[in-house]
Amino acid sequence: MKKNTFFFSVDKAQLRNNKQPKKMSSMIKLPSCMLSVNSSSFSIKSSIFPKSISFSSSHINNFKNPFLNSKTPMENQSFSMLSASKPQNGAVIQDSSFQGSESFFRSVLGNMEAIYLNKNPTAKAILELVRSADDDQICYDHFAFRTFGVNGHGIDSMSKFFLDFGYERREELRFPAKKLKAFWFSPPKVSTSSRGSGVHGPLPRIFISELLVDQLSPEAQEIIKKYTNISHCGKEYAALASAFGILTWEKPSYSEFQLLARESEYAAWTLVNGYALNHVTISTHRLASNLRSIGNLNQFIEENGFNLNSEGGFLKVSPDGLLLQSSTVADSTFFEFSDGITEAVPCSYIEFAERLVLPQYKDLPAEKVEEFHRRDGFEVGNADKIFESTSKDQLTRRAA
């Protein structure tokens, strides 16, 4: 079909005020969003909308704003045009394309990883052990981050970086008891070979959670809002803060940390760690040695003197039996609070995940199995127990 295409440059104020954008060239362009259209209609999928939004020819000619009836706030939001994943007999195939410089993106991931390894000797030691046993071939299943869901410092503040480079937002997960929600993000296709190791291998999934601050006590809310207000525009530089290992707000007092820890250990962790990488996850089924079985890997880790998170059992298994996960107990580090007190606080940990082949592909020869033939996504029950890797109970067990 021959395409009659247009180009618009549209800012968020125009969308809010229903102003008509200027016709300029041959493509539709929204912030972080590009797409072609045919003569009658087009559709986009934005990072802030769960479903694609369709435009008719009248929208093109008159640019009637289809976003105005959306309940999603337009402030502090960005758009990301991503090709939709299409289920194929139960398997999800990521078909979005990488946007921007891949070498730059991988360098940022590398900086995040370096800060994480410098602060977490357990993770560094385990990665070195697994590399030595597996011919230096490690692939990451996912990276995880924690955020405060208030004053624009929640999931969107960190996800924007990944969406800009072609990641696609996927399912939401809810953890009512912990007052958390999360989204995971699938990686885009890359043009270069992804047979490297670590951040130079296949791009990891991204898992970002946020604390539902408005569900906490007024005292806890006051502390969190105090520091996110100090951060102010720091939320725009979440990825930068993670890559440099610094807080976007000032150091809190020890009494504030203690108050949060009594109500939400997640809140206390985020107050002193900020946007730091919470954990990386080794994709066990991509290992070459017998460690590709997560059971063998768990045994290997324990034999080398490391403690696994025991919450819900050392091995966390999804209801369908296809997603197997485990994690270490977090390291601790000394943190100097603003009132001059220095105390140990929890840092990060390392996780392991084995994704089994989906039933419809069970007869494929092993050498033919690719990542999209395996169980994708995350599981609330598993993740809920993995969160406990930074809990006081697990750290106390480790110290015993």
Side-chain angles (χ1 to χ4, degrees), residues 346-357:
C347 279
S348 303
Y349 55 95
I350 188 166
E351 184 188 323
F352 319 100
E354 182 178 1
R355 297 178 182 274
L356 301 183
V357 176

Side-chain angles (χ1 to χ4, degrees), residues 178 308-316 325-327 329 381-389 391 393-394 397:
K178 288 183 169 63
L308 292 174
N309 171 358
S310 62
E311 184 71 20
F314 294 120
L315 185 64
K316 287 71 168 156
Q325 294 169 275
S326 61
S327 62
V329 177
N382 286 17
D384 185 71
K385 304 301 186 294
I386 296 291
F387 276 125
E388 294 298 313
S389 293
S391 71
D393 286 347
Q394 291 297 314
R397 188 182 68 83

Side-chain angles (χ1 to χ4, degrees), residues 177-201:
K178 288 183 169 63
K179 300 179 175 64
L180 304 175
K181 76 172 184 178
F183 279 97
W184 73 275
F185 301 78
S186 58
K189 287 183 177 180
V190 293
S191 57
T192 59
S193 171
S194 58
R195 297 186 181 277
S197 180
V199 297
H200 301 291

Side-chain angles (χ1 to χ4, degrees), residues 132-148:
S132 65
D134 213 75
D135 197 26
D136 198 32
Q137 288 299 310
I138 285 182
C139 296
Y140 287 135
D141 181 88
H142 65 272
F143 281 12
F145 302 90
R146 296 181 177 184
T147 67
F148 285 133

Side-chain angles (χ1 to χ4, degrees), residues 154-392:
I155 292 169
D156 290 347
S157 63
M158 178 57 79
S159 68
K160 183 182 185 303
F161 172 74
F162 296 98
L163 292 170
D164 283 348
F165 283 90
Y167 273 74
E168 181 178 2
R169 191 175 80 171
R170 302 295 298 278
E171 291 83 16
E172 181 183 39
L173 295 89
R174 289 272 178 170
F175 307 88
K178 288 183 169 63
K179 300 179 175 64
L180 304 175
K181 76 172 184 178
F183 279 97
W184 73 275
F185 301 78
S186 58
K189 287 183 177 180
V190 293
S191 57
T192 59
S193 171
S194 58
R195 297 186 181 277
S197 180
V199 297
H200 301 291
L203 292 177
R205 298 166 183 83
I206 301 298
F207 184 95
I208 309 175
S209 56
E210 74 175 33
L211 180 65
L212 303 175
V213 177
D214 61 356
Q215 296 183 16
L216 300 180
S217 68
E219 294 79 13
Q221 289 190 49
E222 182 180 0
I223 292 171
I224 294 170
K225 289 177 180 179
K226 170 185 173 181
Y227 287 99
T228 53
N229 282 333
I230 290 172
S231 171
H232 188 51
C233 63
K235 62 182 178 289
E236 305 293 338
Y237 307 99
L240 183 65
S242 183
F244 278 92
I246 54 178
L247 297 173
T248 63
W249 46 78
E250 300 302 324
K251 288 183 177 181
S253 69
Y254 184 53
S255 61
E256 290 170 323
F257 173 82
Q258 286 182 305
L259 189 151
L260 286 188
R262 286 192 291 270
E263 184 168 343
S264 167
E265 291 181 317
Y266 181 108
W269 188 96
T270 307
L271 187 67
V272 296
N273 288 283
Y275 290 111
L277 191 52
N278 176 255
H279 66 269
V280 304
T281 300
I282 294 177
S283 180
T284 66
H285 57 270
R286 284 172 157 169
L287 296 173
S289 69
N290 68 329
L291 299 182
R292 65 185 291 110
S293 163
I294 195 169
N296 292 341
L297 182 58
N298 285 348
Q299 182 179 348
F300 176 75
I301 288 165
E302 289 189 300
E303 287 175 350
N304 279 277
F306 298 104
N307 292 326
L308 292 174
N309 171 358
S310 62
E311 184 71 20
F314 294 120
L315 185 64
K316 287 71 168 156
V317 183
S318 62
D320 61 12
L322 299 177
L323 178 59
L324 315 178
Q325 294 169 275
S326 61
S327 62
T328 63
V329 177
D331 282 318
S332 296
T333 190
F334 286 104
F335 185 93
E336 184 180 353
F337 292 90
S338 61
D339 49 11
I341 297 174
T342 299
E343 288 288 341
V345 298
C347 279
S348 303
Y349 55 95
I350 188 166
E351 184 188 323
F352 319 100
E354 182 178 1
R355 297 178 182 274
L356 301 183
V357 176
L358 292 164
Q360 59 267 39
Y361 300 118
K362 62 182 176 61
D363 295 326
L364 273 180
E367 66 273 12
K368 297 289 186 182
V369 173
E370 298 185 42
E371 191 69 7
F372 69 84
H373 293 127
R374 296 180 180 274
R375 209 277 201 184
D376 206 357
F378 291 81
E379 186 64 43
V380 167
N382 286 17
D384 185 71
K385 304 301 186 294
I386 296 291
F387 276 125
E388 294 298 313
S389 293
T390 58
S391 71
K392 183 178 180 181

Side-chain angles (χ1 to χ4, degrees), residues 29-43:
K29 184 176 182 181
L30 297 172
S32 305
C33 173
M34 295 182 68
L35 69 160
S36 297
V37 301
N38 61 38
S39 58
S40 60
S41 66
F42 69 90
S43 65

Side-chain angles (χ1 to χ4, degrees), residues 25-91:
S25 181
S26 61
M27 298 186 79
I28 296 291
K29 184 176 182 181
L30 297 172
S32 305
C33 173
M34 295 182 68
L35 69 160
S36 297
V37 301
N38 61 38
S39 58
S40 60
S41 66
F42 69 90
S43 65
I44 71 168
K45 187 171 184 180
S46 161
S47 62
I48 61 171
F49 297 104
K51 296 181 180 180
S52 295
I53 297 178
S54 297
F55 293 73
S56 67
S57 57
S58 63
H59 282 129
I60 298 173
N61 295 329
N62 303 318
F63 207 83
K64 296 176 181 177
N65 189 346
F67 303 116
L68 291 178
N69 294 326
S70 171
K71 295 181 180 179
T72 306
M74 296 301 300
E75 289 78 5
N76 301 319
Q77 299 284 6
S78 63
F79 294 95
S80 178
M81 179 59 202
L82 304 163
S83 54
S85 297
K86 300 176 182 178
Q88 187 181 68
N89 298 324

